[in-house]
């Protein structure tokens, strides 16, 4: 390994890749159960699940974090590094992560394939079209839109109210000009004019559906239940009503199969599904996680944003959908983010400031309490940055020790799996020695209001919840439609425990405001929106794409 | 083979597929030059071209047709069948065809993978997402739109006139509601409002660019030259001006590699690129055709619609771009289409009518004259339908014999390669014995007006050409911009030799009206539009999708 650590793409392009058949063979996948996509990617057959039905499931380890800074705290890097570390410790570990969206890749520097010496590869492919899953979702989503508009144009026997269509079109790009559009212009031969909008594909309900489906039949049922809008009589209209659940399933028949790749140290990784962590639940697919748990003794997975959002939704939505029982949680913290939570200004994060750290620790403390409330063993992983000072690190380690909190300093970015061995040992010890009383914080049969109250108070530390008049009206409507039993998918800023992104640390005496609800009946949750939620990002003034290129050998340059 | 012939998908699902590595190995592709996509599809490395640079190119055989009926005359089926037949005759034949668009697949029964016992397989994959080429083009096209709108939103230093943006967004679907839209609504944070529209992806200039590029560097240059609109000073704005030619090339770095599949009889087939045959030139990629000609002794390829459109553009645009010299042309004719050209009404095509055939033969005669004008050997292939009568077939065979026209009755739909052996023998004989004086009908350095006149008179048989005032203005402007030397891509109805779809047979004393021109500077042609040209199809009242489904084993039903 080189010092200083080269760029992510330089490391990735020099990696010693093993053939995907070898990676698959190492975890007991048979040759005919792998569909290769090139030499280093493959899709796994869902029939493996039947073959291994009797196998015990491996230990599921969730990697989550404190509330992040805008740059992120390296949760994906720690996930990859921990997988590599466990393999170094002689354990059969499989990583299960999300697929990145092209939009942010082309827009802002950043990706979801880890970093430094803890990356999944081939990183260019994973960050670009990969095996086409997201393109298949885009196509299915927009085919549904075309079927809706065609249905109205051809006579509208379902009586769909074109003012009440909630289904939006998507592109897997950052494109603010598509947020609000009018379609169907040009006269009677071009359809019925109406307001519409485009989300980024990863915010499509179909992405959430794909990630929560347990098999192909469940996928079809969920697609059929999706509500696309309302009739003039205000009756919900579903995909089944339109008769296209089969066609949409057909478009997703390959996308539902998990993708196998490897890390820089040849640890197997399933990269599959990537729903937005605000409008959806922000975790990779249930099928990939389940398959990983049949193939590995340890599955390392992650959930979007901090523990208030990602872990809460992972535990309440994904674990509930799939009946998963996590064995342990890793809470990633960084010195620089804790200092920000303690009041250090963003431009000064590289300067030593133990006092700010002492104040900022309250943010970590709250997330620890949340994981404890779920009854799960956990380890705090301090993801070391080169700007962290000895005094800061020592103070943080001491604080953990004084509070009986398992902690490990990780240097997986700089040192790969070797830098995560201590974390790996702590995780193994937590699974073996600490008590696990995993429980949900709310019952799905509670009222929508009660479920939201529970999350806001027990997870965020809010004192109260306010509902807008329209949210109150929706609660009554949704319960009348029979959707009251669905779990809640909170949409909230990731930067604060509260719904106000500037309230850092551990805010107190605050109220959460629920502006609006959204029923994702196919995915199987009610989205509760606090503040404004971005479902279509914009590009910056100088998009990252301006630096991207391919040289004459077909080698990519400028991608990270 | 079964009788009666089962449905296309039933035949395809029962096929005896060989592993793609074996298909590749049979034509001398080395293992490391094939990237498998599943077990039965693969992408070929462009490096094969370097390795085989010294190899002689195989004989290039173009399959074209008379003016078709709305159902098509089975050109793809004959293309596949002829490839299979030549292999039966002991020749090393490789097929080079277009990739189908998902839009028509989901909309109307029909596909571009042949039919009966002459199909390329796996047909479901080829007709759905295949290896993701079209999705990559959709993404590159729409990323460019996002960069344009973002550029304007972020200060518009290029001074782009939002009223004069000619670049449109795309989806690979039939979606009439997207033909005319307004984007950028919602206030100052959502971009600049403007009129826009969506084409079907296969009508994107990027599809034409990908199909005419000779290598990755040429692809990048062509993408950079694409004109996206005009500044307030009416200066053309290119992709290079926006600085994103490299990023778009990166998005297409895999899409540029030809896809290898096989026919039902395991004949190798390269399926790559599928530009619309109206707004673009309607042939598969130059790279695939060239690669096929290095790997096979005979390359069988096709071009969209009849010889007036597809063959003319294949010969004038594609052959010129790649310096191809075809060895022979197959003109597909059907009894039913000739009867329609002779005045038989559409509902009566199954009824014997030799008189209508005698009148309709004029359409075939004109296409024969056109191929003769290009100086190429040719064979007429009568694609037999079960409703054709002996009297009709005999009359047509006699007519050919009396006029010294090579002819072969083909039954490739019913009998596979065996049904095309006679056609294969005729093609081999034409290549060996008939004279080949291939020449273009116009010089690229002629004026735009002169080039259009030549095509209209020599290929369509028109007496004159009329230009609308705006087309006249555009000719002046385009020549001023330095685009006057580009070849012409005619956009005309496929149903008639004229620009009026109801004028069947061989119309005489007609004039062609050029309504508008469009400069596809990246693709490298000037589109001349006659009448209205559809670049975004609509769905029918009962889309084919309503019947599509996947059963619990993951097997597709209802797709053809």
């Amino acid at each position: 390994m080189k010092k200083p650590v080269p760029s992510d793409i330089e490391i990735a392009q020099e990696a010693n890749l093993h053939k995907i058949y070898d990676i698959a063979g190492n975890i007991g996948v048979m040759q005919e159960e792998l569909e290769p996509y090139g030499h280093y990617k493959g899709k796994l057959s869902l029939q493996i699940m039947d073959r291994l039905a009797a196998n015990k499931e491996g230990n599921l380890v969730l990697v989550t974090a404190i509330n992040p800074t805008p740059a992120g705290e390296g949760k994906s890097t720690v996930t990859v590094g921990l997988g590599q570390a466990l393999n170094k410790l002689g354990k059969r570990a499989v990583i299960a992560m999300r697929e990145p969206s092209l939009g942010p890749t082309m827009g802002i520097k950043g990706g979801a394939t880890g970093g430094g010496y803890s990356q999944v590869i081939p990183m260019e492919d994973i960050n670009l079209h990969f095996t086409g899953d997201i393109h298949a979702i885009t196509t299915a989503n927009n085919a549904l839109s075309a079927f809706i508009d065609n249905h109205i144009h051809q006579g509208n026997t379902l009586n769909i109210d074109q003012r009440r269509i909630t289904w939006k079109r998507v592109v897997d790009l950052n494109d603010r000009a598509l947020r609000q559009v009018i379609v169907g212009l040009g006269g009677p031969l071009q359809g019925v004019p109406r307001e519409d909008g485009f989300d980024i594909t990863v915010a499509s309900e179909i992405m959430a559906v794909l990630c929560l489906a347990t098999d192909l039949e469940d996928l079809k049922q969920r697609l059929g239940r999706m509500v696309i809008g309302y009739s003039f009589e205000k009756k919900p209209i579903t995909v089944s009503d339109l008769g296209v659940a089969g066609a949409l399933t057909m478009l997703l028949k390959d996308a539902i199969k998990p993708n196998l790749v490897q890390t820089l140290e040849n640890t197997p990784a399933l990269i599959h599904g990537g729903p937005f962590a605000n409008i959806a639940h922000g975790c990779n697919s249930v099928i990939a996680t389940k398959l990983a748990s049949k193939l590995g003794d340890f599955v390392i997975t992650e959930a979007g944003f901090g523990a208030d959002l990602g872990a809460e939704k992972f535990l309440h939505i994904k674990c509930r959908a799939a009946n998963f029982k996590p064995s342990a949680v890793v809470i990633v913290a960084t010195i620089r983010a804790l200092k920000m939570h303690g009041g250090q200004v963003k431009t000064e994060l590289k300067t030593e400031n133990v006092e700010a750290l002492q104040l900022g620790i309250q943010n970590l403390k709250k997330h620890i309490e949340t994981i404890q409330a779920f009854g799960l063993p956990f380890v705090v992983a301090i993801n070391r940055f080169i700007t962290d000072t000895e005094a800061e690190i020592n103070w943080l380690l001491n604080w953990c020790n004084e509070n009986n909190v398992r902690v490990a300093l990780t240097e997986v970015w700089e040192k790969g799996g070797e830098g995560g061995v201590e974390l790996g040992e702590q995780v193994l010890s937590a699974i073996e020695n600490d008590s696990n009383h995993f429980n949900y914080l709310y019952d799905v049969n509670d009222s929508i209001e009660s479920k939201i109250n529970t999350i806001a108070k027990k997870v965020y530390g809010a004192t109260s919840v306010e509902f807008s008049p329209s949210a109150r009206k929706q609660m009554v409507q949704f319960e009348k439609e029979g959707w009251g039993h669905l779990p809640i998918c909170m949409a909230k800023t990731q930067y604060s425990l509260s719904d106000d992104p500037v309230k850092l640390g551990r805010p107190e005496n605050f109220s959460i405001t629920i502006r609006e609800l959204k029923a994702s009946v196919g995915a199987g949750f009610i989205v509760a929106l606090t503040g404004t939620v971005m479902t279509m990002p914009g590009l910056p003034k100088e998009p990252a794409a301006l630096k991207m290129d391919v040289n004459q050998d077909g080698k990519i340059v400028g991608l990270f």
Side-chain angles (χ1 to χ4, degrees), chain A:
Chain A
M1 292 180 207
K2 293 181 185 168
K3 286 199 181 184
V5 175
S7 74
D8 289 353
I9 193 165
E10 285 171 294
I11 296 173
Q13 286 180 344
E14 280 172 20
N16 168 31
L17 285 151
H18 291 185
K19 295 270 171 164
I20 198 65
Y21 277 113
D22 298 333
I23 298 291
N26 290 344
I27 46 172
V29 171
M30 299 195 295
Q31 194 144 346
E32 63 272 22
E33 292 170 337
L34 179 81
E35 278 178 274
Y37 277 64
H39 303 298
Y40 307 108
K41 296 164 289 181
K43 278 198 169 278
L44 296 177
S45 163
L46 298 187
Q47 282 156 6
I48 303 175
M49 216 80 96
D50 298 332
R51 179 169 64 83
L52 302 181
N55 275 31
K56 207 173 133 279
E57 287 183 9
N59 289 287
L60 180 59
V61 178
L62 171 70
V63 178
T64 183
I66 60 170
N67 292 96
T69 67
E73 303 320 307
K75 204 165 53 217
S76 302
T77 307
V78 171
T79 304
V80 175
L82 175 58
Q84 295 184 145
L86 288 176
N87 268 9
K88 266 198 192 306
L89 291 168
K91 304 294 176 187
R92 185 144 128 167
V94 179
I95 293 160
M97 282 168 69
R98 286 171 290 168
E99 326 187 25
S101 163
L102 245 172
T105 301
M106 305 290 287
I108 327 153
K109 183 177 155 51
T113 49
Y117 286 101
S118 290
Q119 295 183 55
V120 281
I121 45 174
M123 76 89 96
E124 301 101 312
D125 292 10
I126 299 170
N127 278 307
L128 295 177
H129 309 290
F130 201 23
T131 58
D133 296 343
I134 296 182
H135 291 322
I137 292 168
T138 303
T139 305
N141 185 106
N142 293 346
L144 177 53
S145 291
F147 295 135
I148 295 167
D149 278 309
N150 188 58
H151 180 89
I152 297 173
H153 176 74
Q154 303 278 5
N156 200 11
T157 49
L158 289 171
N159 224 4
I160 299 171
D161 184 347
Q162 69 268 32
R163 304 162 305 176
R164 286 194 168 82
I165 296 171
T166 49
W167 192 258
K168 288 163 80 179
R169 289 177 162 89
V170 297
V171 288
D172 190 37
L173 291 166
N174 289 9
D175 193 347
R176 72 169 67 69
L178 291 179
R179 283 175 190 153
Q180 290 186 36
V181 303
I182 296 176
V183 301
L185 297 174
L189 298 182
Q190 330 289 349
V192 176
R194 66 177 183 91
E195 289 184 51
D196 195 5
F198 284 70
D199 287 336
I200 190 164
T201 302
V202 289
S204 166
E205 186 177 345
I206 295 183
M207 174 59 95
V209 161
L210 185 97
C211 287
L212 288 168
T214 49
D215 58 27
L216 197 66
E217 185 55 33
D218 186 38
L219 176 74
K220 198 195 294 181
Q221 296 300 327
R222 285 172 181 268
L223 291 170
R225 286 198 295 269
M226 294 194 309
V227 172
I228 60 93
Y230 297 85
S231 70
F232 285 107
E233 301 80 24
K234 304 224 174 70
K235 194 183 141 304
I237 307 286
T238 66
V239 170
S240 285
D241 294 333
L242 285 161
V244 294
L248 300 190
T249 308
M250 178 187 76
L251 289 171
L252 299 169
K253 81 169 180 57
D254 293 316
I256 198 180
K257 299 175 192 161
N259 307 296
L260 177 67
V261 293
Q262 63 193 291
T263 74
L264 291 169
E265 297 177 9
N266 316 114
T267 301
L270 297 186
I271 312 275
H272 192 225
F276 245 34
N278 49 27
I279 198 84
H281 60 297
C283 325
N284 73 291
S285 78
V286 159
I287 290 179
T289 304
K290 187 159 270 176
L291 198 51
S293 80
K294 291 290 188 176
L295 297 168
D297 297 325
F298 294 85
V299 180
I300 319 301
T301 192
E302 52 150 6
F305 301 145
D308 52 331
L309 280 169
E312 184 271 316
K313 295 198 267 194
F314 175 87
L315 298 167
H316 277 144
I317 298 174
K318 180 172 170 175
C319 288
R320 212 179 314 233
N323 204 21
F324 288 138
K325 289 181 184 36
S327 299
V329 175
V330 171
I331 306 173
V332 179
T334 61
I335 302 271
R336 59 177 195 167
L338 289 173
K339 287 195 293 189
M340 224 177 105
H341 283 293
Q344 181 96 320
V345 293
K346 213 157 64 175
T347 49
E348 291 293 314
L349 291 179
K350 292 176 181 173
T351 313
E352 179 173 288
N353 188 340
V354 177
E355 269 172 57
L357 189 57
Q358 288 169 357
L359 291 167
I361 198 75
Q362 292 304 320
N363 185 269
L364 173 60
K365 194 156 177 285
K366 176 66 189 96
H367 291 297
I368 290 173
E369 289 169 17
T370 299
I371 300 304
Q372 286 172 326
F374 278 104
L376 290 167
F378 66 94
V379 181
V380 169
I382 306 173
N383 185 23
R384 187 173 193 160
F385 276 69
I386 36 178
T387 50
D388 299 345
T389 69
E390 287 299 312
E392 289 171 334
I393 291 169
N394 288 336
W395 186 88
L396 184 50
L397 290 172
N398 273 337
W399 181 89
C400 289
N401 292 331
E402 280 170 14
N403 289 274
N404 283 318
V405 165
R406 281 189 189 275
V407 66
L409 191 63
T410 80
E411 298 173 307
V412 293
W413 180 80
E414 196 180 343
K415 300 179 180 168
E418 189 60 43
V421 164
E422 191 192 337
L423 175 60
E425 286 167 341
Q426 285 287 352
V427 167
L428 294 176
S429 173
I431 294 172
E432 201 172 331
N433 304 308
D434 298 356
S435 64
N436 186 331
H437 309 289
F438 177 49
N439 62 278
Y440 304 127
L441 303 187
Y442 64 78
D443 189 304
V444 280
N445 294 311
D446 295 345
S447 69
I448 296 174
E449 179 166 0
S450 155
K451 287 183 275 199
I452 294 174
N453 261 295
T454 301
I455 297 168
K457 292 175 183 170
K458 292 200 188 160
V459 179
Y460 307 159
T463 44
S464 62
V465 182
E466 280 166 38
F467 293 85
S468 75
S470 74
R472 288 226 165 266
K473 221 172 115 185
Q474 287 171 309
M475 282 198 290
V476 174
Q477 186 214 335
F478 290 2
E479 285 176 354
K480 209 186 77 194
E481 296 291 356
W483 307 330
H485 66 286
L486 296 173
I488 304 299
C489 179
M490 293 298 294
K492 183 183 72 67
T493 176
Q494 68 266 39
Y495 297 121
S496 171
L497 280 158
S498 76
D499 57 3
D500 179 354
V502 301
K503 285 188 183 145
L504 302 188
R506 180 176 186 164
E508 286 182 340
N509 298 318
F510 65 93
S511 173
I512 293 280
T513 305
I514 306 297
R515 192 172 49 81
E516 201 192 330
L517 301 178
K518 187 185 172 304
S520 294
V521 184
F525 50 64
I526 303 287
V527 185
L529 298 126
T530 70
T532 48
V533 165
M534 170 77 82
T535 52
M536 171 53 92
L539 287 168
K541 184 154 189 170
E542 301 279 334
L546 295 178
K547 295 202 177 63
M548 296 175 184
D549 203 352
V550 190
N551 68 21
Q552 275 170 296
D553 313 326
K555 203 168 158 181
I556 290 176
V557 293
L559 178 67
F560 314 112

